[in-house]
Amino acid sequence: MKELRLQHVKAFLVFSGLFNIVFAFPLIIPGLAEIYLKFMTALNAGLGFTSPDYAYTVNPTHLMLINTAGIDLVLIGSIVLYASMKPIERKGLLLLNSVGRTLFLIVIIYNILANDLIALFLIFGLIDLFISIVFVIIFIRLTKYDRTPAST
C-alpha cells in the first residue's frame, strides 16, 4: 500500500476514534451528562426534528448506565486510535468496530420507531454506518495488501 494511502487510512481512523471520544466524553461526567443530553435535545428541536418533551432521568441505575456508556464509547474511540498507529497489524479491530457501529445504528432505529428517541441520534447512527462501511473497505484492502509478497 502506498505510504500516502496508508496515511489516509490512519487519518480516517484518527477521525473516527476522535468522533467517538468527543461525542461520548460528556456522558462520563454525571452533571455534564445532563447538560449534554439537554443540549442534544435542544439541537434536535432546532434542526426541526420532532421529539417528546425532554426528561432527564433521576433513576440511579439509568444514570450509572449513561456514565458507563460514555466510558465504553470513549474506550472504543481509544481502541480505534490505537489501531491507527499500526492499521495493518491491527486491522481486526476495524472489523469488530464496524460490527459494533452497525449494531448501534440498528438500536437507534429501533428506539426512534419504538420509543420516540430524538431523531438527532439517527445522524450519529448514519455517521457510524458510513464509518462501518469504510472500515470494512479498509479491512479488505489491508488484508489484500498484507498477503502480497512485497509486504512480507
Side-chain angles (χ1 to χ4, degrees):
M1 180 174 281
K2 294 180 183 174
E3 189 62 32
L4 183 61
R5 286 189 178 158
L6 191 55
Q7 288 305 99
H8 288 151
V9 166
K10 289 180 178 183
F12 186 77
L13 295 177
V14 168
F15 159 77
S16 62
L18 290 176
F19 173 78
N20 266 65
I21 292 168
V22 167
F23 285 103
F25 184 78
L27 297 174
I28 294 173
I29 303 165
L32 187 57
E34 179 179 7
I35 295 166
Y36 178 67
L37 292 173
K38 285 181 179 179
F39 167 76
M40 295 301 266
T41 302
L43 182 60
N44 185 70
L47 291 171
F49 297 129
T50 59
S51 65
D53 288 336
Y54 175 82
Y56 188 73
T57 183
V58 293
N59 181 312
T61 302
H62 296 167
L63 293 172
M64 189 259 324
L65 290 173
I66 289 169
N67 299 143
T68 302
I71 292 167
D72 291 344
L73 290 168
V74 168
L75 177 61
I76 290 167
S78 300
I79 290 169
V80 174
L81 289 178
Y82 174 74
S84 75
M85 292 184 249
K86 294 184 179 183
I88 296 169
E89 293 89 342
R90 300 171 183 161
K91 65 184 180 277
L93 294 173
L94 305 181
L95 195 58
L96 291 172
N97 194 273
S98 178
V99 169
R101 287 177 185 269
T102 303
L103 291 172
F104 178 63
L105 173 64
I106 292 167
V107 169
I108 287 173
I109 291 170
Y110 168 78
N111 279 289
I112 287 172
L113 297 174
N115 299 318
D116 208 17
L117 179 73
I118 61 174
L120 176 64
F121 288 114
L122 183 58
I123 294 171
F124 286 103
L126 293 174
I127 291 169
D128 273 345
L129 179 62
F130 170 75
I131 291 170
S132 294
I133 291 167
V134 173
F135 276 6
V136 169
I137 292 167
I138 290 171
F139 176 82
I140 291 167
R141 289 189 178 172
L142 288 177
T143 300
K144 287 180 182 177
Y145 172 76
D146 201 26
R147 291 182 183 161
T148 60
S151 67
T152 55

